[in-house]
Amino acid sequence: MSEIIAGVEIPETQAAEEATRLIRETTNPLIFHHSRRVFLFSTLRAGELGLRPDPELLYLSALFHDTGLLRPFSEVEQRFELDGADHARQFLLDRGFSGAAAEVVWTAIALHTTPGIPGRMGDEVAATNFGVLTDVVGLGLDRLDPGQVEEITAVHPRGDFKNEFLRAFVDGLSYRPDTTYGTVNADVLEHFVPGFRRVSMVERIMESAWSA
């Protein structure tokens, strides 16, 4: 029997089921529940905005989008979004997805924290970003059916999401602070990590190797 939450059907493909098991087993309840909520909110927001993302690619994008905050997904010092995107792309390629499909998922994850750009791209990329914004900062929440929101949070509870999610960012980024340059991730470290100070673009220009 299909799993349906708030009127949204969870994809039942082999890849979707494998991804669900993988993320459940290798992350933690915070990331797992958040990722599933992102898919559900992404789907609802897509319907509201007239987008038609591929459900399976959207689901895989949502499930992997924050995995880069955790090991074993964060293996190199790069933006955590790229960690998750790289793992997701390999996951798809290993299961016979086309390169084009893998790149869609890679892009959706790589850009999910970038303001302004994802919403102007393909449907999966835009919907992933809108779902993230709804679950993290409540953007568009007031336009969703309260009953659907209640059903989603009953199945995938938020708990102390705000504090736990911010702590996950600190834990996942404080050992590689340089990777937060130019991103919203620097906001988190600047707020929570004593002594951290973001380097500005002005400093990078003024202190460059050029004499003028």
Side-chain angles (χ1 to χ4, degrees):
M1 181 178 295
S2 298
E3 182 181 10
I4 298 176
I5 304 170
V8 177
E9 184 173 353
I10 304 297
E12 293 185 297
T13 64
Q14 182 175 342
E17 292 175 355
E18 289 181 8
T20 301
R21 287 195 298 271
L22 176 66
I23 303 309
R24 190 194 296 272
E25 294 171 1
T26 59
T27 63
N28 54 46
L30 171 74
I31 297 300
F32 177 73
H33 288 304
H34 166 57
S35 299
R36 294 262 291 192
R37 289 196 307 270
V38 164
F39 168 71
L40 295 164
F41 288 136
S42 294
T43 303
L44 295 178
R45 295 295 309 280
E48 169 203 347
L49 297 169
L51 303 176
R52 300 184 64 183
D54 178 280
E56 183 180 33
L57 298 185
L58 182 60
Y59 186 73
L60 296 174
S61 298
L63 281 198
F64 278 94
H65 83 279
D66 272 346
T67 54
L69 290 172
L70 304 170
R71 298 187 186 278
F73 298 95
S74 56
E75 298 170 343
V76 296
E77 288 201 12
Q78 61 182 4
R79 287 181 56 166
F80 89 91
E81 301 94 332
L82 297 182
D83 288 331
D86 288 347
H87 278 276
R89 177 168 56 191
Q90 194 60 55
F91 178 91
L92 269 71
L93 293 175
D94 288 345
R95 284 154 183 80
F97 283 80
S98 69
E103 287 306 308
V104 166
V105 172
W106 188 93
T107 304
I109 298 171
L111 294 180
H112 82 267
T113 63
T114 302
I117 295 175
R120 304 289 291 273
M121 299 186 70
D123 288 4
E124 293 81 11
V125 178
T128 299
N129 180 245
F130 290 137
V132 169
L133 291 173
T134 297
D135 198 53
V136 175
V137 299
L139 186 67
L141 186 62
D142 58 336
R143 295 196 293 275
L144 297 179
D145 183 297
Q148 290 179 305
V149 174
E150 184 178 354
E151 184 174 346
I152 289 170
T153 55
V155 177
H156 294 294
R158 291 179 64 84
D160 188 22
F161 177 76
K162 292 180 180 180
N163 290 312
E164 290 182 3
F165 192 60
L166 288 170
R167 174 47 55 186
F169 267 74
V170 174
D171 292 343
L173 301 175
S174 58
Y175 69 91
R176 45 177 172 170
D178 290 346
T179 67
T180 68
Y181 170 73
T183 76
V184 297
N185 305 321
D187 297 343
V188 180
L189 296 191
E190 192 166 59
H191 184 89
F192 288 102
V193 177
F196 174 82
R197 188 183 71 83
R198 73 181 70 207
V199 176
S200 73
M201 183 60 179
V202 174
E203 291 173 291
R204 288 170 66 91
I205 292 174
M206 296 302 292
E207 296 172 8
S208 75
W210 291 101
S211 61

